[in-house]
Coordinates of all heavy atoms in Angstrom, one line a residue:
M19 N 95.1 52.3 109.5 CA 96.4 51.7 109.1 C 96.7 50.3 109.8 O 96.4 50.2 110.9 CB 97.5 52.7 109.5 CG 97.5 54.0 108.7 SD 97.8 53.8 107.0 CE 99.6 53.9 106.8
S20 N 97.1 49.4 109.0 CA 97.2 48.0 109.5 C 98.6 47.9 110.2 O 98.9 47.0 111.0 CB 97.1 47.1 108.4 OG 98.2 47.2 107.4
G21 N 99.6 48.7 109.7 CA 100.9 48.6 110.2 C 101.7 47.5 109.5 O 102.8 47.2 109.8
N22 N 101.0 46.9 108.5 CA 101.6 45.9 107.8 C 102.4 46.4 106.6 O 102.0 46.7 105.5 CB 100.6 44.9 107.2 CG 101.2 43.7 106.4 OD1 102.3 43.4 106.6 ND2 100.3 43.2 105.6
R23 N 103.7 46.7 106.9 CA 104.5 47.4 105.9 C 105.1 46.3 104.9 O 105.7 45.3 105.3 CB 105.7 48.0 106.6 CG 105.3 49.3 107.4 CD 106.5 50.2 107.6 NE 107.5 49.5 108.4 CZ 108.8 49.8 108.4 NH1 109.2 50.7 107.6 NH2 109.6 49.1 109.1
K24 N 104.7 46.6 103.7 CA 105.1 45.6 102.6 C 106.5 46.1 102.1 O 106.7 47.2 101.6 CB 104.1 45.6 101.5 CG 103.4 44.3 101.4 CD 102.6 44.4 100.1 CE 102.0 42.9 99.9 NZ 101.0 42.9 98.8
V25 N 107.4 45.1 102.1 CA 108.8 45.4 101.6 C 108.8 44.9 100.1 O 108.4 43.8 99.9 CB 109.8 44.7 102.5 CG1 111.2 45.0 101.9 CG2 109.8 45.2 103.9
P26 N 109.2 45.8 99.2 CA 109.2 45.3 97.8 C 110.3 44.3 97.6 O 111.5 44.6 98.0 CB 109.5 46.6 97.0 CG 109.8 47.6 97.9 CD 109.6 47.2 99.3
V27 N 110.0 43.1 97.2 CA 111.0 42.1 97.0 C 111.2 41.7 95.6 O 110.3 41.9 94.8 CB 110.6 40.8 97.8 CG1 110.8 41.1 99.4 CG2 109.3 40.3 97.6
R28 N 112.4 41.2 95.2 CA 112.7 40.7 93.9 C 113.4 39.5 93.9 O 114.1 39.2 95.0 CB 113.6 41.8 93.2 CG 112.9 43.1 92.8 CD 111.8 43.0 91.8 NE 111.2 44.3 91.5 CZ 110.1 44.8 92.2 NH1 109.6 44.1 93.2 NH2 109.6 45.9 91.8
K29 N 113.3 38.8 92.9 CA 114.0 37.4 92.9 C 115.3 37.5 92.4 O 115.6 38.1 91.3 CB 113.1 36.5 92.0 CG 113.5 35.1 92.1 CD 112.4 34.3 91.3 CE 112.9 32.9 90.9 NZ 111.8 32.2 90.1
C30 N 116.2 37.0 93.1 CA 117.7 36.9 92.7 C 117.9 36.0 91.5 O 117.3 34.9 91.6 CB 118.6 36.5 93.9 SG 120.2 36.2 93.4
V31 N 118.6 36.5 90.5 CA 118.8 35.5 89.4 C 119.9 34.4 89.6 O 120.1 33.5 88.9 CB 119.2 36.3 88.0 CG1 118.1 37.2 87.6 CG2 120.5 37.1 88.3
G32 N 120.5 34.6 90.8 CA 121.4 33.5 91.2 C 120.8 32.5 92.0 O 120.6 31.4 91.6
C33 N 120.5 32.8 93.3 CA 120.0 31.9 94.2 C 118.5 31.7 94.2 O 117.9 30.8 94.7 CB 120.3 32.3 95.7 SG 119.7 33.8 96.2
Q34 N 117.8 32.5 93.4 CA 116.3 32.4 93.1 C 115.5 32.8 94.4 O 114.4 32.4 94.4 CB 116.0 31.0 92.7 CG 116.7 30.5 91.5 CD 116.5 31.2 90.2 OE1 115.3 31.3 89.8 NE2 117.5 31.6 89.5
E35 N 116.2 33.4 95.3 CA 115.3 33.7 96.6 C 114.8 35.1 96.4 O 115.3 36.0 95.8 CB 116.3 33.6 97.8 CG 116.6 32.3 98.3 CD 117.6 32.3 99.4 OE1 117.5 33.2 100.3 OE2 118.4 31.3 99.5
M36 N 113.7 35.3 97.0 CA 113.0 36.6 97.0 C 113.7 37.5 98.2 O 113.7 37.0 99.3 CB 111.6 36.5 97.3 CG 110.8 35.6 96.3 SD 110.8 36.4 94.6 CE 109.6 37.7 94.8
K37 N 114.2 38.6 97.8 CA 114.8 39.4 98.9 C 114.4 40.9 98.7 O 113.9 41.3 97.6 CB 116.3 39.4 98.8 CG 116.8 38.0 99.0 CD 118.1 37.9 99.7 CE 118.5 36.4 100.0 NZ 119.9 36.2 99.9
N38 N 114.6 41.7 99.8 CA 114.4 43.1 99.7 C 115.1 43.7 98.6 O 116.4 43.7 98.5 CB 114.8 43.7 101.1 CG 114.5 45.2 101.2 OD1 114.3 45.9 100.2 ND2 114.5 45.7 102.4
K39 N 114.4 44.4 97.6 CA 115.2 44.9 96.4 C 116.2 45.9 96.8 O 117.1 46.1 96.0 CB 114.1 45.4 95.4 CG 113.4 46.6 95.8 CD 112.4 47.0 94.7 CE 112.7 48.4 94.1 NZ 111.7 48.9 93.2
K40 N 116.0 46.6 97.9 CA 117.0 47.6 98.2 C 118.3 47.1 98.6 O 119.3 47.8 98.6 CB 116.4 48.4 99.5 CG 115.4 49.4 99.2 CD 115.0 50.3 100.3 CE 113.9 51.3 100.0 NZ 113.1 51.6 101.2
E41 N 118.3 45.8 99.0 CA 119.6 45.2 99.3 C 120.2 44.5 98.1 O 121.3 43.8 98.3 CB 119.4 44.2 100.4 CG 119.0 44.8 101.8 CD 118.4 43.8 102.8 OE1 118.3 42.7 102.5 OE2 117.8 44.4 103.8
M42 N 119.7 44.6 97.0 CA 120.1 43.9 95.8 C 120.9 44.8 94.8 O 120.6 46.0 94.8 CB 119.1 43.1 95.2 CG 118.4 42.1 96.2 SD 117.0 41.3 95.5 CE 117.8 39.9 94.8
I43 N 121.6 44.2 94.1 CA 122.2 44.9 92.9 C 121.3 44.7 91.6 O 120.8 43.6 91.4 CB 123.6 44.4 92.5 CG1 124.6 44.6 93.7 CG2 124.2 45.0 91.3 CD1 125.9 44.0 93.4
R44 N 121.0 45.9 91.0 CA 120.2 45.8 89.9 C 120.9 46.0 88.6 O 121.8 46.8 88.5 CB 119.2 47.0 90.0 CG 118.0 47.0 89.0 CD 117.0 48.0 89.4 NE 116.0 48.2 88.4 CZ 115.8 49.3 87.7 NH1 116.5 50.4 87.9 NH2 114.9 49.4 86.8
I45 N 120.7 45.1 87.7 CA 121.3 45.2 86.4 C 120.3 45.6 85.4 O 119.2 44.9 85.3 CB 121.9 43.8 86.0 CG1 122.9 43.2 87.1 CG2 122.6 43.9 84.7 CD1 122.2 42.1 87.9
I46 N 120.5 46.6 84.7 CA 119.5 47.0 83.7 C 120.0 47.1 82.3 O 121.2 47.3 82.1 CB 118.8 48.4 84.1 CG1 119.9 49.5 84.1 CG2 118.1 48.3 85.4 CD1 119.3 50.9 84.1
R47 N 119.1 46.9 81.4 CA 119.4 47.1 80.0 C 118.8 48.4 79.6 O 117.6 48.6 79.7 CB 118.9 45.9 79.2 CG 119.3 46.0 77.7 CD 118.8 44.7 77.0 NE 117.4 44.6 77.0 CZ 116.7 43.5 76.8 NH1 117.4 42.4 76.5 NH2 115.4 43.4 76.8
T48 N 119.6 49.3 79.0 CA 119.1 50.6 78.6 C 118.4 50.4 77.2 O 118.5 49.4 76.5 CB 120.2 51.6 78.5 OG1 121.1 51.2 77.4 CG2 121.0 51.7 79.8
A49 N 117.9 51.6 76.8 CA 117.2 51.6 75.4 C 118.3 51.5 74.4 O 117.9 51.0 73.3 CB 116.5 52.9 75.3
E50 N 119.5 51.8 74.7 CA 120.6 51.6 73.7 C 121.2 50.2 73.7 O 122.2 49.9 73.1 CB 121.7 52.6 74.0 CG 121.4 54.1 73.7 CD 120.5 54.6 74.8 OE1 120.7 54.3 76.0 OE2 119.6 55.4 74.5
N51 N 120.5 49.3 74.5 CA 120.8 47.9 74.6 C 122.2 47.7 75.3 O 123.0 46.8 74.9 CB 120.9 47.2 73.2 CG 120.3 45.9 73.2 OD1 119.4 45.6 74.0 ND2 120.8 45.1 72.3
E52 N 122.5 48.6 76.2 CA 123.7 48.5 77.0 C 123.3 48.0 78.4 O 122.2 48.4 78.9 CB 124.4 49.8 77.1 CG 125.1 50.2 75.8 CD 125.7 51.6 75.9 OE1 125.2 52.4 76.7 OE2 126.7 51.8 75.2
F53 N 124.2 47.2 79.0 CA 123.9 46.8 80.3 C 124.7 47.7 81.3 O 125.9 47.9 81.1 CB 124.3 45.3 80.5 CG 123.5 44.4 79.7 CD1 123.8 44.0 78.5 CD2 122.3 44.0 80.3 CE1 123.0 43.1 77.7 CE2 121.4 43.1 79.6 CZ 121.8 42.7 78.3
V54 N 124.0 48.1 82.3 CA 124.7 48.9 83.4 C 124.2 48.4 84.8 O 123.1 47.9 84.8 CB 124.4 50.4 83.3 CG1 125.1 51.1 82.0 CG2 122.9 50.7 83.2
L55 N 125.1 48.6 85.7 CA 124.7 48.3 87.1 C 124.1 49.5 87.7 O 124.6 50.6 87.6 CB 125.9 47.9 87.9 CG 126.7 46.7 87.3 CD1 127.8 46.3 88.4 CD2 125.9 45.5 87.0
D56 N 122.9 49.3 88.3 CA 122.2 50.4 89.0 C 122.2 50.1 90.5 O 121.4 49.3 91.0 CB 120.9 50.5 88.3 CG 120.0 51.5 89.0 OD1 120.6 52.4 89.7 OD2 118.8 51.5 88.9
T57 N 123.1 50.8 91.1 CA 123.1 50.6 92.6 C 122.1 51.6 93.3 O 122.0 51.5 94.5 CB 124.5 50.9 93.1 OG1 125.0 52.1 92.6 CG2 125.4 49.7 92.8
T58 N 121.6 52.6 92.6 CA 120.7 53.5 93.2 C 119.2 53.1 93.1 O 118.3 53.6 93.7 CB 120.8 54.9 92.6 OG1 120.4 54.8 91.2 CG2 122.2 55.4 92.7
G59 N 118.9 52.2 92.1 CA 117.5 51.8 91.8 C 116.7 52.8 91.1 O 115.5 52.7 91.1
K60 N 117.4 53.8 90.6 CA 116.6 54.9 90.0 C 116.6 55.0 88.5 O 115.9 55.8 87.8 CB 117.2 56.3 90.6 CG 116.8 56.4 92.0 CD 116.9 57.8 92.5 CE 116.3 58.0 93.9 NZ 117.3 57.5 95.0
K61 N 117.5 54.2 87.9 CA 117.7 54.2 86.5 C 116.5 53.5 85.8 O 115.9 52.6 86.3 CB 119.0 53.7 86.0 CG 120.1 54.6 86.3 CD 121.5 53.9 85.9 CE 122.6 54.7 86.5 NZ 123.8 53.9 86.5
N62 N 116.2 54.0 84.6 CA 115.1 53.3 83.8 C 115.6 52.2 82.9 O 116.8 52.3 82.4 CB 114.4 54.3 83.0 CG 113.5 55.2 83.8 OD1 112.9 54.9 84.7 ND2 113.6 56.5 83.5
G63 N 114.9 51.2 82.7 CA 115.3 50.1 81.9 C 114.8 48.8 82.4 O 114.3 48.7 83.5
R64 N 114.8 47.8 81.6 CA 114.5 46.4 82.0 C 115.6 46.0 83.0 O 116.7 46.0 82.7 CB 114.5 45.5 80.7 CG 114.3 44.1 80.9 CD 112.8 43.7 80.9 NE 112.7 42.3 80.9 CZ 112.8 41.5 81.9 NH1 113.0 42.0 83.1 NH2 112.6 40.2 81.9
G65 N 115.1 45.5 84.1 CA 116.0 45.1 85.2 C 116.0 43.7 85.6 O 115.0 43.0 85.5
A66 N 117.1 43.3 86.2 CA 117.2 41.9 86.8 C 117.9 42.2 88.2 O 118.7 43.2 88.3 CB 118.0 41.0 86.0
Y67 N 117.7 41.4 89.1 CA 118.3 41.6 90.4 C 119.2 40.5 90.9 O 119.0 39.3 90.5 CB 117.2 41.8 91.5 CG 116.4 43.0 91.3 CD1 115.4 43.1 90.3 CD2 116.7 44.2 92.0 CE1 114.7 44.3 90.1 CE2 115.9 45.4 91.8 CZ 115.0 45.4 90.9 OH 114.3 46.6 90.7
L68 N 120.2 40.9 91.6 CA 121.2 39.9 92.1 C 121.6 40.3 93.6 O 121.7 41.5 93.8 CB 122.4 39.9 91.2 CG 123.4 38.7 91.3 CD1 122.7 37.4 90.9 CD2 124.6 39.0 90.3
C69 N 121.7 39.3 94.5 CA 122.2 39.6 95.8 C 123.7 40.1 95.6 O 124.4 39.7 94.8 CB 122.3 38.3 96.7 SG 120.7 37.4 96.8
P70 N 124.1 41.0 96.5 CA 125.4 41.5 96.5 C 126.4 40.4 97.1 O 127.1 40.6 98.1 CB 125.4 42.8 97.3 CG 124.2 42.6 98.2 CD 123.3 41.7 97.6
D71 N 126.4 39.3 96.4 CA 127.1 38.1 96.9 C 127.7 37.4 95.9 O 127.1 37.1 94.8 CB 126.1 37.2 97.7 CG 126.7 36.0 98.4 OD1 127.8 35.6 97.9 OD2 126.2 35.7 99.4
R72 N 129.0 37.1 95.9 CA 129.8 36.5 94.8 C 129.3 35.1 94.5 O 129.4 34.6 93.4 CB 131.2 36.5 95.0 CG 131.7 37.9 95.0 CD 133.2 38.1 95.5 NE 134.1 37.7 94.5 CZ 135.5 37.5 94.8 NH1 135.9 37.8 95.9 NH2 136.2 37.1 93.9
E73 N 128.8 34.5 95.6 CA 128.2 33.1 95.3 C 127.0 33.2 94.4 O 126.8 32.3 93.6 CB 127.8 32.5 96.7 CG 129.0 32.0 97.6 CD 129.9 31.1 96.8 OE1 129.4 30.1 96.2 OE2 131.1 31.3 96.8
C74 N 126.2 34.2 94.6 CA 125.0 34.4 93.8 C 125.4 34.7 92.4 O 124.8 34.2 91.4 CB 124.1 35.5 94.3 SG 123.1 34.9 95.7
L75 N 126.5 35.4 92.2 CA 127.0 35.8 90.9 C 127.5 34.5 90.2 O 127.1 34.2 89.0 CB 128.1 36.8 90.9 CG 128.9 37.1 89.7 CD1 127.9 37.7 88.6 CD2 130.0 38.1 89.9
K76 N 128.2 33.7 90.9 CA 128.6 32.4 90.4 C 127.4 31.5 90.0 O 127.4 30.9 88.8 CB 129.4 31.6 91.5 CG 130.9 31.9 91.5 CD 131.6 31.0 92.4 CE 132.7 31.6 93.1 NZ 133.2 30.9 94.3
K77 N 126.4 31.5 90.8 CA 125.2 30.7 90.4 C 124.5 31.3 89.2 O 124.0 30.6 88.4 CB 124.2 30.7 91.7 CG 124.6 29.8 92.8 CD 123.7 29.9 93.9 CE 124.3 29.3 95.1 NZ 123.5 29.8 96.4
A78 N 124.5 32.7 89.1 CA 123.9 33.3 88.0 C 124.6 32.9 86.7 O 124.0 32.8 85.6 CB 123.7 34.8 88.2
V79 N 125.9 32.9 86.8 CA 126.7 32.5 85.6 C 126.4 31.1 85.2 O 126.1 30.8 84.0 CB 128.2 32.6 85.9 CG1 129.1 32.1 84.7 CG2 128.6 34.2 86.1
K80 N 126.4 30.2 86.2 CA 126.1 28.8 86.0 C 124.7 28.5 85.4 O 124.5 27.7 84.5 CB 126.3 28.0 87.3 CG 126.9 26.7 87.1 CD 127.2 26.1 88.4 CE 127.6 24.6 88.3 NZ 127.8 24.0 89.6
N81 N 123.7 29.1 86.0 CA 122.3 28.8 85.6 C 121.8 29.8 84.5 O 120.7 29.7 84.1 CB 121.4 28.8 86.8 CG 121.1 30.2 87.4 OD1 121.4 31.2 86.8 ND2 120.6 30.2 88.5
R82 N 122.7 30.7 84.0 CA 122.4 31.6 83.0 C 121.1 32.4 83.4 O 120.3 32.7 82.5 CB 122.2 30.9 81.6 CG 123.4 30.1 81.2 CD 123.4 29.7 79.8 NE 124.9 29.3 79.3 CZ 125.6 30.2 78.8 NH1 125.3 31.5 78.7 NH2 126.9 29.9 78.5
G83 N 121.1 32.8 84.6 CA 119.9 33.5 85.1 C 119.7 34.9 84.4 O 118.6 35.3 84.1
L84 N 120.9 35.5 84.1 CA 120.8 36.8 83.5 C 120.3 36.7 82.0 O 119.5 37.5 81.5 CB 122.1 37.6 83.6 CG 122.4 38.3 84.9 CD1 123.8 38.9 84.8 CD2 121.3 39.4 85.2
E85 N 120.9 35.7 81.4 CA 120.6 35.5 80.0 C 119.0 35.2 79.8 O 118.4 35.7 79.0 CB 121.3 34.3 79.4 CG 122.7 34.6 78.9 CD 123.8 34.4 79.9 OE1 123.4 34.4 81.1 OE2 125.0 34.3 79.5
R86 N 118.6 34.4 80.8 CA 117.2 34.0 80.8 C 116.3 35.2 81.0 O 115.2 35.5 80.5 CB 116.9 32.9 81.7 CG 117.2 31.6 81.1 CD 116.7 30.5 82.0 NE 117.4 30.4 83.2 CZ 117.1 29.7 84.2 NH1 116.0 28.9 84.2 NH2 117.8 29.8 85.4
S87 N 116.8 36.0 82.0 CA 116.0 37.2 82.4 C 115.9 38.2 81.2 O 114.8 38.8 81.0 CB 116.6 37.9 83.6 OG 115.9 38.9 84.0
F88 N 117.0 38.4 80.5 CA 117.0 39.4 79.4 C 116.7 38.8 78.1 O 116.6 39.5 77.1 CB 118.3 40.2 79.4 CG 118.5 41.1 80.5 CD1 119.4 40.8 81.6 CD2 117.8 42.3 80.6 CE1 119.5 41.6 82.7 CE2 117.9 43.2 81.7 CZ 118.8 42.9 82.8
K89 N 116.7 37.5 78.0 CA 116.5 36.7 76.8 C 117.5 37.1 75.7 O 117.2 37.3 74.6 CB 115.1 37.0 76.3 CG 114.0 36.4 77.2 CD 112.6 36.6 76.7 CE 111.6 36.0 77.5 NZ 111.5 36.5 78.9
Q90 N 118.8 37.2 76.1 CA 119.8 37.5 75.2 C 121.1 37.2 75.9 O 121.2 37.0 77.1 CB 119.8 38.9 74.7 CG 120.2 39.9 75.8 CD 120.4 41.3 75.1 OE1 119.5 42.1 74.9 NE2 121.7 41.5 74.8
A91 N 122.2 37.1 75.1 CA 123.6 36.9 75.6 C 124.0 38.0 76.5 O 123.7 39.2 76.1 CB 124.5 36.6 74.5
I92 N 124.7 37.8 77.5 CA 125.2 38.9 78.4 C 126.7 39.0 78.1 O 127.5 38.0 78.2 CB 125.0 38.6 79.9 CG1 123.5 38.2 80.1 CG2 125.4 39.7 80.8 CD1 122.5 39.3 79.9
P93 N 127.2 40.2 77.8 CA 128.6 40.4 77.6 C 129.5 40.1 78.8 O 129.0 40.4 79.9 CB 128.7 41.9 77.1 CG 127.4 42.4 76.8 CD 126.4 41.4 77.6
D94 N 130.7 39.6 78.6 CA 131.5 39.3 79.7 C 131.8 40.5 80.6 O 132.0 40.3 81.8 CB 132.9 38.8 79.2 CG 132.8 37.3 78.6 OD1 131.8 36.6 78.9 OD2 133.7 36.9 77.9
E95 N 131.8 41.6 79.9 CA 132.1 42.9 80.7 C 131.1 43.1 81.9 O 131.4 43.6 82.9 CB 132.1 44.2 79.9 CG 133.1 44.0 78.7 CD 132.4 43.5 77.4 OE1 131.7 44.4 76.8 OE2 132.5 42.4 77.2
V96 N 129.9 42.6 81.6 CA 128.8 42.8 82.6 C 129.1 41.9 83.8 O 129.0 42.4 85.0 CB 127.4 42.4 82.0 CG1 126.3 42.5 83.0 CG2 127.1 43.3 80.8
Y97 N 129.5 40.7 83.6 CA 129.9 39.8 84.7 C 131.2 40.4 85.4 O 131.2 40.3 86.6 CB 130.2 38.4 84.2 CG 128.9 37.7 83.7 CD1 128.7 37.3 82.4 CD2 127.9 37.4 84.7 CE1 127.5 36.7 82.1 CE2 126.7 36.8 84.3 CZ 126.6 36.4 83.0 OH 125.4 35.8 82.6
E98 N 132.1 40.9 84.6 CA 133.3 41.4 85.2 C 132.9 42.7 86.1 O 133.4 42.8 87.2 CB 134.3 41.9 84.1 CG 135.0 40.7 83.6 CD 135.7 41.0 82.3 OE1 135.9 42.1 81.9 OE2 135.9 40.0 81.5
A99 N 132.1 43.5 85.6 CA 131.6 44.7 86.4 C 130.9 44.2 87.7 O 131.0 44.8 88.7 CB 130.7 45.6 85.5
L100 N 130.1 43.2 87.6 CA 129.4 42.7 88.7 C 130.3 42.2 89.8 O 130.2 42.4 90.9 CB 128.4 41.5 88.3 CG 127.1 42.1 87.8 CD1 126.3 40.9 87.2 CD2 126.2 42.6 88.9
E101 N 131.3 41.4 89.2 CA 132.3 40.9 90.2 C 133.0 42.0 90.9 O 133.3 41.9 92.2 CB 133.2 39.9 89.5 CG 134.1 39.2 90.5 CD 134.8 37.9 89.9 OE1 134.9 37.8 88.7 OE2 135.2 37.1 90.7
K102 N 133.4 43.0 90.1 CA 134.1 44.1 90.7 C 133.3 44.8 91.8 O 133.7 45.1 92.9 CB 134.5 45.1 89.6 CG 135.5 46.1 90.0 CD 136.1 46.8 88.8 CE 136.9 48.0 89.1 NZ 136.1 49.1 89.6
E103 N 132.1 45.0 91.5 CA 131.1 45.6 92.5 C 130.9 44.9 93.7 O 131.0 45.4 94.8 CB 129.7 45.7 91.7 CG 128.7 46.4 92.5 CD 128.9 47.9 92.7 OE1 129.5 48.5 91.9 OE2 128.5 48.4 93.7
M104 N 130.9 43.5 93.5 CA 130.8 42.7 94.8 C 132.1 42.7 95.6 O 132.0 42.6 96.8 CB 130.4 41.3 94.4 CG 128.9 41.3 93.9 SD 128.4 39.8 93.2 CE 126.8 40.3 92.5
I105 N 133.3 42.7 95.0 CA 134.5 42.8 95.7 C 134.5 44.2 96.4 O 134.9 44.2 97.6 CB 135.7 42.8 94.7 CG1 135.8 41.3 94.2 CG2 137.0 43.0 95.5 CD1 136.7 41.1 93.0
D106 N 134.0 45.2 95.8 CA 133.9 46.5 96.4 C 133.0 46.5 97.7 O 133.4 47.0 98.7 CB 133.3 47.6 95.5 CG 134.4 48.1 94.4 OD1 135.5 47.6 94.6 OD2 133.9 48.8 93.5
I107 N 131.9 45.8 97.5 CA 131.0 45.7 98.7 C 131.6 44.9 99.7 O 131.6 45.2 101.0 CB 129.7 45.0 98.2 CG1 128.9 46.0 97.3 CG2 128.8 44.6 99.4 CD1 127.8 45.4 96.5
D108 N 132.3 43.8 99.5 CA 133.1 43.0 100.4 C 134.0 43.6 101.3 O 134.2 43.5 102.4 CB 133.8 41.8 99.7 CG 132.9 40.6 99.4 OD1 131.8 40.7 99.9 OD2 133.3 39.7 98.8
T109 N 134.7 44.7 100.6 CA 135.8 45.4 101.3 C 135.5 46.7 101.8 O 136.3 47.4 102.3 CB 137.0 45.5 100.3 OG1 136.5 46.1 99.1 CG2 137.6 44.1 99.9
R110 N 134.2 47.0 101.6 CA 133.8 48.4 102.1 C 133.8 48.4 103.6 O 133.5 47.5 104.3 CB 132.3 48.6 101.6 CG 132.0 50.0 101.4 CD 130.7 50.3 100.6 NE 130.9 50.1 99.1 CZ 129.9 50.0 98.2 NH1 128.7 49.9 98.6 NH2 130.2 49.9 97.0
Ligands
ZN219 ZN1 121.0 35.5 95.5

């Protein structure tokens, strides 16, 4: 054993930085074409990752990172749900 523990990292659609995926919010698109936030990392579907940071959410809105990641328009409710989730994290 090398002791070299590899941490799975994902790129944030906001700041574009690679971070530990366990610390990120996952947004997935289900087979029914619905967007859901996956805080457990266990749901199936095409996913994108975002830091649990409202600044990253702002950046993602601005650079259309989610749209690019999913190659389609993202409903406003998804952004609203993300913002709410981040406020929850802030005040936890
Ligand atoms: Zn970020």
Side-chain angles (χ1 to χ4, degrees):
M19 293 297 271
S20 67
N22 180 22
R23 287 198 303 154
K24 240 186 177 177
V25 179
V27 291
R28 292 294 180 272
K29 192 169 162 185
C30 172
V31 294
C33 63
Q34 311 288 312
E35 281 175 40
M36 301 293 287
K37 300 215 173 144
N38 183 346
K39 67 181 242 191
K40 282 190 184 149
E41 290 164 9
M42 302 176 89
I43 296 177
R44 186 166 174 246
I45 304 106
I46 61 164
R47 184 174 61 199
T48 67
E50 290 77 38
N51 223 29
E52 285 175 334
F53 289 94
V54 288
L55 304 189
D56 177 18
T57 48
T58 63
K60 291 196 172 73
K61 288 177 188 163
N62 289 317
R64 172 91 172 78
Y67 291 82
L68 195 65
C69 307
D71 185 326
R72 291 167 80 188
E73 286 304 310
C74 283
L75 176 59
K76 273 187 213 162
K77 284 177 195 162
V79 172
K80 215 173 171 187
N81 71 15
R82 303 198 160 268
L84 280 176
E85 275 92 342
R86 279 189 294 173
S87 185
F88 289 107
K89 298 182 172 62
Q90 70 168 87
I92 308 296
D94 285 346
E95 304 93 83
V96 176
Y97 288 117
E98 282 162 21
L100 275 168
E101 186 159 22
K102 196 167 168 285
E103 182 68 28
M104 286 171 193
I105 293 166
D106 285 353
I107 289 167
D108 275 355
T109 54
R110 207 169 278 165

